[in-house]
Amino acid sequence: MLTHQERANIIALINREVIPAIGCTEPIAVALCTARATELLGERPERIEVLLSANILKNAMGVGIPGTGMIGLPIAIALGTLIGKSAYQLEVLRDVCPEAVEEARAYIDQKRITIGLKEGISEKLYAEVRTSKGESSAVAIIAGGHTNFVYLERNGVAELDNRTVSSNEEVQEEESLNLARVWEFAMESPLDELRFILETKRLNKAAAELSFRNNFGHVVGRTMLQEGPLNPMGNTIFTRVMAYTSAACDARMAGAIVPVMSNSGSGNQGIAATLPVVVYAEEIGASEEQMIRALALSHLTVIYIKQSLGRLSALCGCVVAATGSSCGITYLMGGGYVQTASAVKNMIANLTGMICDGAKPSCALKLTSGVSMAVVSAMMAMNDRCVTAVEGIIDDDVDQTIRNLTAIGRDGMNETDRVVLDIMTNKC
């Protein structure tokens, strides 16, 4: 049984990893870094130089920036310096307004911003912003986490320098998680200690419902709920699970000014870990306690898997997030730990290898694929059907199976990541 201190450590971990975000977290992290560098400078910079890891560039190229009607990094950087507040963290651009957007457009037109690839780094999540005006200068660097500042400098004097600290050293509690411990925490913690997780339901469901009233992105969510012969699946629990999840992603990727609850630095991961569980729980009339425990199980499973996978990789985050929601749905179907472990194996046997080719409106399609398999994997597990250890990368030990997944995404797909970025940056 977990001690009170162990539970408190895990709750603190969830509260660090499950936080509100407005907009795609990669360009928003760059905007946050820009805002902090501008604050250090103490005045509006004449020049901004931005150096980024390849994964940040990939994820920021094609996604809408909230409240702007524009995509990509230049507008995020301009707004970060003009109206961004670093205290807002991943909601750094919450004060965006039409006047600020016009001012940011003019700032971009003045050619004050340069963006480049940071060479010689192994960190996949890295943003370095250098601001200057006259003789004054400031530098801010984020690495290892979307809000994790590792270096701050003003006029050549470092105010913070944690660049030698590995991102894996940030939280000691992370190393002790396994699926059995995740299950124990979600099932046995006092309900009042877990009730905070309902905020994920409120924010992410509101984003989906906003999307249903608008035409965001590829309108995947609304398309799945249309009536008539063009919807052969009909209006079922299954389609509603997929529709709510994809709708929230539609809004977020299109740049709607709407907060979502992220997980491990990704809003889409937060959406996919939340909405399939919420919709399924509501459809079957689950109790509030069941809803809370299912959400806690889903979100902590995602956090656990992401600890060894890393923040950014060539593996689409929906694979991990949908695995979390499959665990939550399995529990809501009446499953125990054995069935939950089977659902995880079924998910990894199926979706491993789905590439991340950047944040963009079509991410809603990938989330739909992920959460549809979350339901199918749970159904299989509840019928005692589980992919076996003689098949592919699956192991008898569910935690080893998870490590196999993360080794592929973290190490094995590095060349895939390079090829994807090369394709994206060389399109006509």
Side-chain angles (χ1 to χ4, degrees):
M1 174 177 277
L2 297 175
T3 67
H4 174 75
Q5 186 57 54
E6 287 172 329
R7 293 199 313 272
N9 289 342
I10 294 174
I11 289 169
L13 171 61
I14 296 173
N15 280 318
R16 283 192 296 273
E17 299 290 4
V18 180
I19 60 175
I22 297 177
C24 175
T25 48
E26 276 69 64
I28 293 302
V30 178
L32 173 63
C33 198
T34 306
R36 189 70 188 98
T38 301
E39 290 166 357
L40 286 169
L41 187 67
E43 54 187 328
R44 181 176 296 185
E46 292 174 337
R47 300 289 306 167
I48 303 174
E49 181 186 10
V50 181
L51 298 172
L52 305 171
S53 61
N55 288 77
I56 290 280
L57 280 171
K58 179 181 73 174
N59 278 0
M61 289 171 61
V63 69
I65 305 303
T68 68
M70 300 172 67
I71 64 170
L73 284 164
I75 188 65
I77 293 166
L79 287 171
T81 199
L82 296 176
I83 56 96
K85 293 182 176 61
S86 65
Y88 291 169
Q89 298 277 307
L90 292 181
E91 296 180 285
V92 61
L93 299 185
R94 71 162 70 152
D95 293 336
V96 67
C97 61
E99 293 76 18
V101 173
E102 287 307 308
E103 191 176 3
R105 287 177 184 269
Y107 195 83
I108 294 169
D109 291 341
Q110 292 164 10
K111 309 295 184 184
R112 299 183 182 277
I113 301 169
T114 60
I115 303 169
L117 181 67
K118 180 70 175 182
E119 302 288 355
I121 58 168
S122 59
E123 176 59 62
K124 294 184 178 182
L125 198 166
Y126 182 95
E128 177 180 327
V129 177
R130 296 179 172 272
T131 58
S132 61
K133 183 174 182 180
E135 298 298 316
S136 298
S137 65
V139 181
I141 299 175
I142 284 175
H146 291 78
T147 62
N148 185 44
F149 285 98
V150 297
Y151 187 76
L152 300 173
E153 174 195 298
R154 186 175 188 277
N155 293 331
V157 178
E159 298 185 6
L160 170 73
D161 190 354
N162 289 336
R163 289 175 294 181
T164 60
V165 178
S166 166
S167 60
N168 291 328
E169 298 172 5
E170 291 177 28
V171 183
Q172 296 299 315
E173 182 63 29
E174 296 170 0
E175 298 178 1
S176 61
L177 287 177
N178 56 43
L179 192 65
R181 200 159 186 256
V182 169
W183 173 268
E184 182 181 3
F185 171 82
M187 296 302 112
E188 298 182 9
S189 296
L191 201 61
D192 285 345
E193 293 184 6
L194 302 178
R195 198 174 299 277
F196 71 92
I197 204 71
L198 287 175
E199 184 68 1
T200 66
K201 170 190 171 183
R202 186 185 72 82
L203 285 185
N204 292 345
K205 192 174 181 184
E209 290 172 344
L210 173 69
S211 186
F212 288 137
R213 300 191 298 270
N214 291 277
N215 290 303
F216 293 125
H218 296 297
V219 201
V220 180
R222 279 180 52 187
T223 299
M224 299 198 71
L225 292 184
Q226 67 182 329
E227 297 180 354
L230 293 181
N231 184 2
M233 294 183 295
N235 190 347
T236 67
I237 294 178
F238 188 56
T239 52
R240 288 192 288 276
V241 163
M242 292 187 289
Y244 268 81
T245 306
S246 56
C249 184
D250 282 331
R252 180 173 175 268
M253 292 290 94
I257 308 179
V258 57
V260 301
M261 195 66 83
S262 66
N263 184 306
S264 302
S266 166
N268 284 348
Q269 286 171 185
I271 289 167
T274 302
L275 288 175
V277 174
V278 168
V279 174
Y280 187 82
E282 291 179 339
E283 292 282 349
I284 67 170
S287 67
E288 182 182 67
E289 177 173 356
Q290 289 173 316
M291 172 86 77
I292 290 171
R293 296 197 184 280
L295 284 170
L297 176 62
S298 178
H299 278 279
L300 189 56
T301 298
V302 177
I303 292 168
Y304 162 45
I305 298 173
K306 288 292 289 186
Q307 300 309 338
S308 57
L309 177 62
R311 298 281 175 169
L312 300 177
S313 75
L315 182 70
C316 179
C318 82
V319 176
V320 177
T323 299
S325 61
S326 188
C327 293
I329 291 170
T330 301
Y331 160 72
L332 290 169
M333 287 179 170
Y337 174 75
V338 171
Q339 289 76 27
T340 298
S342 293
V344 171
K345 293 180 184 180
N346 292 340
M347 289 293 289
I348 292 173
N350 187 357
L351 291 178
T352 299
M354 182 184 289
I355 65 166
C356 171
D357 54 343
K360 59 211 175 301
S362 61
C363 286
L365 293 168
K366 295 190 177 186
L367 261 65
T368 302
S369 295
V371 301
S372 67
M373 288 302 101
V375 177
V376 172
S377 294
M379 292 168 61
M380 288 180 60
M382 292 303 295
N383 282 279
D384 297 322
R385 304 296 181 188
C386 179
V387 178
T388 66
V390 300
E391 302 174 70
I393 64 170
I394 304 304
D395 193 275
D396 285 327
D397 182 340
V398 67
D399 295 294
Q400 183 59 50
T401 300
I402 289 170
R403 288 191 290 273
N404 294 344
L405 165 73
T406 59
I408 291 169
R410 184 189 62 245
D411 304 320
M413 295 177 71
N414 280 336
E415 181 63 12
T416 300
D417 220 10
R418 187 195 66 76
V419 173
V420 167
L421 182 66
D422 186 61
I423 292 170
M424 292 175 63
T425 54
N426 286 283
K427 288 190 293 186
C428 296

